[in-house]
Amino acid sequence: MHDIWVVTELVGKDLAPVSLQLLGQARQLADQTGDKVIAVAMGHEIMPMAQELIEHGADEVLVADHPELTYYRTLPYARILGELIQEKKPNVVLMGATSQGRDLAPRVAARIQTGLTADCLELSINK
């Protein structure tokens, strides 16, 4: 079994709509493949968000909570996400095609030396 990760984004202290959209897509894929959906949340004082992510389709939530993560900054976010990916080895990582996602995704891909597919409109997994 492999995991499908969704890297969530915040708008202030709230989940960005793109995060919930990606969770829905990940849930559909996981239901077809038997994989688990893991939400990744980074920020500060965000633990209450974990239950909301579960309610929207995540099986588990990985939380990185630190004052340094209060506002999106490329290098800390890329370092943390890259380390998590190298440690846990998910099969798929989904990020929104937002300004944050477009900044973070290529940096993480370069850090972990993997490919990147951008601006997908439809996803499927063939096993």
Side-chain angles (χ1 to χ4, degrees):
M1 184 185 305
H2 295 92
D3 297 334
I4 299 171
W5 283 17
V6 173
V7 179
T8 63
E9 292 185 27
L10 299 175
V11 176
K13 289 281 187 181
D14 298 319
L15 280 170
V18 70
S19 299
L20 302 179
Q21 293 167 352
L22 288 172
L23 274 174
Q25 182 67 52
R27 179 80 270 149
Q28 289 177 3
L29 291 171
D31 289 346
Q32 294 170 9
T33 61
D35 296 337
K36 291 189 339 186
V37 175
I38 310 294
V40 180
M42 294 179 279
H44 183 53
E45 298 177 344
I46 59 169
M47 285 304 292
M49 178 188 315
Q51 185 58 42
E52 184 178 355
L53 292 166
I54 297 289
E55 291 168 2
H56 282 91
D59 295 306
E60 295 177 21
V61 180
L62 298 175
V63 177
D65 191 316
H66 191 276
E68 185 178 355
L69 303 174
T70 299
Y71 301 102
Y72 174 73
R73 290 186 15 236
T74 304
L75 296 179
Y77 273 61
R79 179 182 51 79
I80 290 167
L81 186 56
E83 289 173 2
L84 281 171
I85 291 170
Q86 288 177 319
E87 177 186 336
K88 307 276 187 186
K89 302 193 183 329
N91 194 38
V92 175
V93 179
L94 303 177
M95 293 186 216
T98 62
S99 58
Q100 180 177 320
R102 290 172 191 258
D103 179 60
L104 184 59
R107 292 173 190 269
V108 172
R111 182 179 286 266
I112 64 171
Q113 300 179 349
T114 191
L116 169 67
T117 301
D119 298 314
C120 292
L121 298 176
E122 186 175 322
L123 298 170
S124 65
I125 297 175
N126 296 324
K127 285 195 167 190

